[in-house]
Structures are given as structure tokens and as C-alpha cells.
Amino acid sequence: MFYGRVDVYWPDGPIESYRLNKPTIAIGRSTGNDIVLDTTAISRYHIALTFTNQQMVLEDLDSVNGTYVDSVRLAPREPHVLRGGEEIQIGDIRVIFHPPSEALSLSEDTTQRMVLSQPTYRLELEGPDMDVAPGAYVQAALKIENLSDKTDRYFVEIDGLPKGWVRVDRVEMELEPGEQGQAMISFKPLRRSESQPGEHPFVVRVRSKSQPSQTIDAPTMLRVLPFSGFGMALGASQTDQNGTFQLYLHNQGNAPLPLTIQGTDRDQRLRFDLPQTRLVLGPGERQTLTGSVRPRRRTWLGQDREIEFAILARSNDQAGFLAAVPGTVMDRGALPPWAPVLAIPLLALVVLLVVGTALLLLGDDDDGQPALPPVIGTFAVSSPAVVVGEPVDVTWQVSEADALDLVVQRRESQQRVSLEPDAMAYSLSFEETGVVALVLEAHNGDAVATSTLQVEVRPVVSLTLEVVDGTELVHFVQHDVQISWDVLGAREFDGQYSVWLESSDAAALNLAAPQPLTNAITLPVVPAGEQVEWLVTLYAEGQDNVTATVTQKLPIVYPSCELSAARTVVRSGPGEAYPALVPPLESSSEGNLSFSPTAQDPSGEWFQVTIGVDNPRQGWVRRDDFTCANFDPDRLIATNDFPPPPEIVTPTATASPPPTSTPVTPASVTASPAPTSAPVTAGSTPAP
């Protein structure tokens, strides 16, 4: 199994990459680790990476210097889910985790490989074989072979990628006849917000100096992962006289960053006023928020005092990080400390008047004044959609509350969780699919405030594709593909479950619901057309029509056969009776000639191929003249779509005139039957 890759960036510049081939990987200074990093800046056993529940989890092993993910320190022994592309700091070493790409389906990785030819040279391109996060790198190997009988020089160009992303160690090479040269292409997207995540198509172009028109373009793809980065600061650590502050926000990542902003203090004595608590920062975007903070209750007497607070920013994406910046606000008394000494007589009189008035007004009323209504400032969830068993964090900011309840409402059930009045977060998970309503109730005496949000709980889905007789699909060749799936949480439907599968080629696979939760099937697949990937999507529907999907894909390549005989003839049909379309091709003059067959005749002795570029035509070559590298020739599809062999015209003989001296007229000549003749192969002379 292949669980991903980690890139290790040393402070002095070297980069090391490690494949994760085990479900648990320990990283540290000691030789007992799976990945040993010999530096005193990290602990003997610093972190562990564990693949569980289809997720990679990072855990700090009580390290001395701690572990930071995107600049946020992890609590020791507290699991942290990695989504890919995060920046992990251990000591003075930076580590970036890369999950398995979708094409790998958590199995052994498959290298992109293509072979393209011109009459005088051939290139082979392998890679890039993995997704790459900005700041990390992957490589591809380009091999060029001189097929001509003369020394030639070749030039390598990369077209389609941003400047600074790619470097070629040999942009030109001179090769002797039959010599092969190699260039390494390194891809390293810049760790900047403008390095957009997703697929970036590009072309590796090779030009021949002696034959400039014989240019080969090898189109391929670089897949860039998203990465998160966030910066936040207060304009001043202490607010001004009015409690006003400026909060500076910066999305340093390359994907949109949804945020929830809130303020908090230890004893809930402050009230925060923010212009907006939810916002989305675009890649590289900066924003400045102007807010204010003030005590909930004014202090009338006493010394001025500073109250510490923090502004929190939580990301509402898969990273789910929480960042905080500290600040202070001054709680100033309305009267100076010496004011009570002068105001004691007057205050005593006022107190007596107030108490007397209160007794008169209250009379027999024992209910007292109504309690202040509680205020729910924010109520948020770490993710609005989770899968069965995945934890979700609920956070809130509440004031004027003496009791809190979190109510979990499902279709026909309700669960009430009592919370501490000063609590600000709660974690829970769900064992059933569907839409769950979370209701936060804040109580203060008889006054109640509520806030509601929804969480969609989806089934857990897992899908694996495997080519039984290889690692990739080949156009026009029948393959057996094993499709395995595992689902948790789909609703029952018609004796089984609401599970179904679809493929990019509906004729090859279209399994409608219901299906079992776990199954493995094998079916024949023949890729046709211009597809470069064969995709299969697994759908699973839970309660309340919530649906989870996962898509896996297999690469599709073209068949490749090389001329192994001394010569071959391309004919207009499958047989020697068909005329040649081009002069015979010989290996001695053309080098390693390659064809990509599209079919074979019913006898299996002839391959159908396409010849010509400007005016392509279908031709036929003998199967025994070629050696095929990436497929079993017996599995190439057969066709009857070819013309019948041309008729052989045999000369008609005329009878000899009788031995007479009388002149013979044309009417007296009679034709004798034509002799029976065997079929004549191209290039032979008919027998008289």
C-alpha cells in the first residue's frame, strides 16, 4: 500500500523525499524511527504519522520543541488530521505531507510514461509521477534516442507552465547515431498564493537541429495541491481610549480561505463589536477589520486596570486551524479612587432613599427584576459536512448566560447536552447519516436565546480500481478491471442499499442501485475514442438524501509495437493479395519503427494501423513483423471492416486459326476457356 509522501526541507537547503509505505511512520532523531533525521533540533521520537479511517493523522510525541502545523502549535498526543500541503515545522526542519493522488487510489503509484517517435529520433518521457504542493518538487525523466545514421543535436523546451516553476538540467544534447541521452526535468511550483491548485497542462517539446520540421510535442500534466497559510496581527497590542482596534488578516495560501472571527477573554467580562464575523479571503488577499471591545459592566469606582483578551480566527475549510492574537483593553473607573471619601454622606442619603423607594415600589412583588437576556454572539461548526464517525467541533461565543445546552436533533430523536456556562467549544461525532440540527440554548433565569445550524452527515465511501493484467488501460485492447468498493452508512433500499456506480464509458459500467455495501466485481473494458483516463464514480445515499461520492481513475495509453523483422509492407487489407500502400519499410533505414495498432483481422495475423499525418489512411501489417510492449496482442479487438481482396485478372487465350489458306474473318474466331490460376501475390508475374 502507498499512503503518500513527505518532503523534508533542511535549513541549509537540501530536500529529501520519503515514500510512506506503512500505515504508521515514526519520525525523529533516534535510529529506531522509520524516518531518521539526525539533528539535535528535534526529539528522539518527535512525531508519528498514522493512516486511519481513510485519513492521515499527525501526532506530536511529547517533543521538547513542539510541532507546528501552519504556524499553530499542536498539543502533545492530540491527533491532527492532515489534508495535504500543510507546512509541518519540527525544530529547524520543515516537512510537507503529500497524500496519494487520486489516480493512485491508495495503491502503488503509476508513473506517467509516453513514447513518441519521428523517423530520425525517439523520445521517452516518464513523470511527473505525483501531485506536488507549492514549495515541494517532483521530477520527470526525458530520454532521447538518435535513430538516424548521423550525429544530431536536440533542443528541449517546456511550454505552458509559469516562469520559475521548471528547470531542465540539459536543454540541449548532441547524440551519436544510436546513442541515447537523458535530461532531468524538475518541477517546483513557487510557494505563493498565485500558484493556483489544480491541473496545469504543459508540453515537453524536442526539436532536431538537422530536421527542424521533425518536432515532437509530448503533452502531459502537472497537478498542484492547495496549501494553506494565514497571517493575523493587531495594529496595536493595546486598544485606544474607545476600545477600538484594527485587525490585519492575510491569506498566504493559494486557495480561498473561509474564516470565522470572534473575540474572547478569560472571565467573559468584555463585549466585542466586529463589523463581520464570517468572511472569505481570496488567495493572497489582505483585509483590515476595525472593531471595538469594552467591558460589559462599567466600573464606577477603583483603579484603572488592564483586561487581557484574544481575537480568534478559525478556518472553515478542511484545514480547520485556529489562530489567535492577544490584546489588552483598559477598564477605567467612572470616578477617581478618592471620590468615595467626599461622597460618603451624600451616598448614604442616596442609599436610604433608593432602598425606601424600592421597598415601596416592590410591595408584595416577590418576583424581582427580569434577568438580562443572554446574547449568542457566534455559533459555528468546524465543517458543515462530515462522514459517519468523523469528529466535528462546535464553537460559540455567549454572554449574559448562567446555563448552556446543546441540543442535537435528528429526524425522530433529540439529545440534550448540558454545558458549563463558561464553555466555548464542544466536540461530537455521529454514527448515522442524515441532516442533523444543532441548537445552542443560552439561559439566564427565565430568558432564553437560541441559535441553530445544520451538519450534513454523509456515508463513508471507498473505491479501488485495478487492471488485472497490468497497471494501465490500452486503447483498443480488452482488459479485465477489478472494481472494489466499501460503504458505511448508506440507507437500505429494495433489499440492499442505495449504492450505485457509473463510469465515463456508460457502455462499460453502469450499476444502478441497489447494490451491496461491500463488493468486488471484474468486468471487461475496451477503451476507445480519445479518452486519456477511465473514470468510475461510486455514489452512496444516506438518510435525508445526503449523498457521498468518490471518483477513481485509470490512465489510458495507446498500444505500442516496434518493427522486429528486417522489413515490412503496409497493405490496403489483411493479406498478401492486397496492394502495398507505401514502399516497404526496413529496420536498417528507419531505425526502430513504431506503430500503434487499432484492431486486428479475425485470423489474428494482421494488425490494422494508421499511416500518414496530413492524409491519414488505414493500412495493414503482418503481426509477426512486430513486437508489442505494453499489451497482449491476443486481446486486441478484431474487425471485419475492410474491403474484399482485389480480383485477379487473368489473360484470355484465343484459338489458333485452322491450317488453311482461306482468309479468316473475326467472326470465325472462337474463344477457348480461360485456364484456372491461383491467386498472385503482389510483385509476382502471372503464369502464361
Side-chain angles (χ1 to χ4, degrees):
M1 291 285 288
F2 175 57
Y3 300 95
R5 186 189 79 199
V6 291
D7 292 335
V8 178
Y9 294 77
W10 292 83
D12 53 352
I15 302 175
E16 300 174 354
S17 293
Y18 297 90
R19 290 170 53 90
L20 307 182
N21 294 323
K22 296 168 55 180
T24 299
I25 299 290
I27 301 177
R29 191 177 74 247
S30 173
T31 56
N33 291 277
D34 299 286
I35 298 177
V36 180
L37 304 178
D38 189 11
T39 171
T40 56
I42 68 173
S43 299
R44 294 178 64 249
Y45 294 93
H46 201 107
I47 61 173
L49 297 173
T50 304
F51 186 80
T52 178
N53 296 326
Q54 303 299 314
Q55 293 178 322
M56 184 62 73
V57 176
L58 168 67
E59 186 176 354
D60 180 90
L61 303 178
D62 292 312
S63 63
V64 175
N65 294 326
T67 301
Y68 297 80
V69 177
D70 290 329
S71 302
V72 178
R73 182 164 183 166
L74 301 184
R77 299 289 178 178
E78 181 176 311
H80 179 85
V81 176
L82 297 177
R83 308 295 181 181
E86 294 94 338
E87 195 170 280
I88 306 166
Q89 192 75 33
I90 54 175
D92 57 354
I93 294 177
R94 186 164 59 95
V95 179
I96 294 180
F97 166 70
H98 305 283
S101 65
E102 295 182 2
L104 303 183
S105 307
L106 295 182
S107 62
E108 289 299 322
D109 57 335
T110 302
T111 302
Q112 297 185 63
R113 179 178 180 271
M114 64 177 68
V115 179
L116 300 171
S117 300
Q118 284 283 8
T120 60
Y121 71 102
R122 178 178 63 178
L123 70 79
E124 177 181 329
L125 180 64
E126 290 191 3
D129 59 349
M130 292 190 69
D131 299 352
V132 60
Y137 79 99
V138 291
Q139 288 186 321
L142 173 66
K143 298 178 182 178
I144 303 175
E145 183 178 1
N146 185 354
L147 304 178
S148 70
D149 55 359
K150 297 180 181 179
T151 301
D152 203 351
R153 182 174 291 272
Y154 304 93
F155 304 92
V156 181
E157 303 171 0
I158 308 297
D159 187 18
L161 291 178
K163 185 178 180 180
W165 281 27
V166 61
R167 184 179 66 84
V168 184
D169 64 351
R170 296 178 68 187
V171 294
E172 60 179 89
M173 60 184 77
E174 187 172 276
L175 301 178
E176 301 290 335
E179 185 182 1
Q180 186 180 85
Q182 177 171 295
M184 296 303 298
I185 308 173
S186 299
F187 304 91
K188 184 179 180 181
L190 301 179
R191 194 169 178 81
R192 297 177 180 173
S193 56
E194 56 265 27
S195 298
Q196 296 183 358
E199 295 183 342
H200 293 261
F202 67 95
V203 172
V204 178
R205 179 174 295 117
V206 176
R207 294 185 293 107
S208 164
K209 182 178 181 180
S210 65
Q211 301 288 338
S213 61
Q214 294 185 7
T215 299
I216 297 180
D217 284 355
T220 185
M221 190 79 66
L222 181 69
R223 294 179 175 87
V224 178
L225 296 169
F227 76 93
S228 59
F230 178 65
M232 180 173 63
L234 283 173
S237 60
Q238 185 175 23
T239 63
D240 61 15
Q241 300 180 21
N242 300 319
T244 303
F245 61 85
Q246 286 189 320
L247 180 67
Y248 301 102
L249 306 172
H250 181 202
N251 178 9
Q252 301 168 350
N254 64 345
L257 179 62
L259 295 172
T260 298
I261 308 296
Q262 65 184 71
T264 184
D265 65 289
R266 182 183 301 275
D267 299 320
Q268 300 294 306
R269 292 182 295 177
L270 301 177
R271 185 185 301 277
F272 296 87
D273 184 14
L274 294 165
Q276 55 187 131
T277 58
R278 287 181 175 270
L279 67 157
V280 178
L281 296 179
E285 182 180 356
R286 300 175 184 267
Q287 277 199 29
T288 301
L289 300 182
T290 300
S292 63
V293 56
R294 63 183 185 277
R296 295 182 184 277
R297 296 179 178 85
R298 190 172 185 182
T299 302
W300 291 96
L301 299 173
Q303 297 284 347
D304 296 347
R305 55 177 179 170
E306 283 188 343
I307 302 178
E308 296 180 348
F309 67 89
I311 302 297
L312 307 179
R314 180 184 294 275
S315 70
N316 299 322
D317 58 2
Q318 292 182 340
F321 65 79
L322 179 65
V325 289
T328 59
V329 61
M330 188 65 68
D331 183 12
R332 304 181 187 277
L335 299 174
W338 44 264
V341 177
L342 300 178
I344 289 177
L346 180 60
L347 181 61
L349 180 59
V350 171
V351 170
L352 291 175
L353 291 174
V354 170
V355 172
T357 303
L359 292 175
L360 292 175
L361 293 177
L362 291 177
D364 297 330
D365 185 6
D366 297 330
D367 294 337
Q369 295 293 327
L372 292 175
V375 177
I376 299 178
T378 61
F379 183 39
V381 65
S382 58
S383 176
V386 296
V387 298
V388 172
E390 180 182 3
V392 60
D393 294 328
V394 185
T395 58
W396 58 85
Q397 183 182 0
V398 176
S399 60
E400 308 295 349
D402 59 8
L404 292 176
D405 287 327
L406 181 63
V407 183
V408 182
Q409 296 179 345
R410 296 180 177 87
R411 293 177 304 281
E412 299 178 355
S413 63
Q414 176 175 298
Q415 178 186 4
R416 182 176 294 270
V417 180
S418 297
L419 306 169
E420 294 296 329
D422 58 349
M424 298 178 60
Y426 188 76
S427 181
L428 68 163
S429 60
F430 309 99
E431 302 304 322
E432 296 181 0
T433 61
V435 177
V436 180
L438 301 179
V439 182
L440 181 66
E441 294 183 355
H443 303 264
N444 190 12
D446 295 334
V448 180
T450 62
S451 182
T452 303
L453 54 81
Q454 288 187 337
V455 176
E456 189 176 284
V457 185
R458 300 171 180 172
V460 179
V461 291
S462 174
L463 176 65
T464 302
L465 307 182
E466 181 180 358
V467 182
V468 176
D469 54 344
T471 58
E472 57 191 5
L473 300 177
V474 181
H475 279 289
F476 315 115
V477 177
Q478 179 176 306
H479 297 271
D480 291 331
V481 177
Q482 186 179 66
I483 304 174
S484 307
W485 69 86
D486 190 15
V487 175
L488 174 65
R491 67 178 178 85
E492 295 186 12
F493 173 59
D494 201 14
Q496 295 192 60
Y497 297 89
S498 185
V499 174
W500 66 98
L501 295 93
E502 297 176 357
S503 74
S504 54
D505 179 8
L509 174 67
N510 189 5
L511 296 179
Q515 296 292 330
L517 292 178
T518 301
N519 200 9
I521 62 172
T522 302
L523 74 160
V525 176
V526 180
E530 299 298 327
Q531 288 181 306
V532 296
E533 294 173 328
W534 188 67
L535 290 81
V536 175
T537 302
L538 170 67
Y539 299 86
E541 185 181 69
Q543 302 295 336
D544 300 326
N545 298 320
V546 299
T547 303
T549 66
V550 61
T551 300
Q552 302 294 358
K553 52 190 176 182
L554 292 171
I556 304 176
V557 299
Y558 282 91
S560 177
C561 299
E562 290 190 352
L563 179 62
S564 56
R567 66 191 294 273
T568 191
V569 178
V570 182
R571 300 186 179 277
S572 63
E576 300 291 347
Y578 291 85
L581 296 179
V582 294
L585 304 175
E586 299 182 2
S587 58
S588 59
S589 61
E590 298 295 335
N592 293 329
L593 180 68
S594 297
F595 273 132
S596 183
T598 58
Q600 62 180 327
D601 73 321
S603 71
E605 297 180 358
W606 293 82
F607 280 159
Q608 184 184 51
V609 296
T610 301
I611 60 172
V613 177
D614 297 331
N615 184 24
R617 293 176 293 168
Q618 295 297 322
W620 293 82
V621 294
R622 275 194 172 276
R623 168 177 165 175
D624 292 342
D625 291 348
F626 289 82
T627 300
C628 301
N630 61 346
F631 72 100
D632 180 0
D634 291 335
R635 286 181 168 264
L636 189 67
I637 60 174
T639 181
N640 289 308
D641 186 14
F642 50 84
E647 295 184 2
I648 300 174
V649 179
T650 305
T652 303
T654 58
S656 301
T660 177
S661 59
T662 306
V664 180
T665 62
S668 65
V669 179
T670 59
S672 61
T676 303
S677 174
V680 180
T681 59
S684 63
T685 303

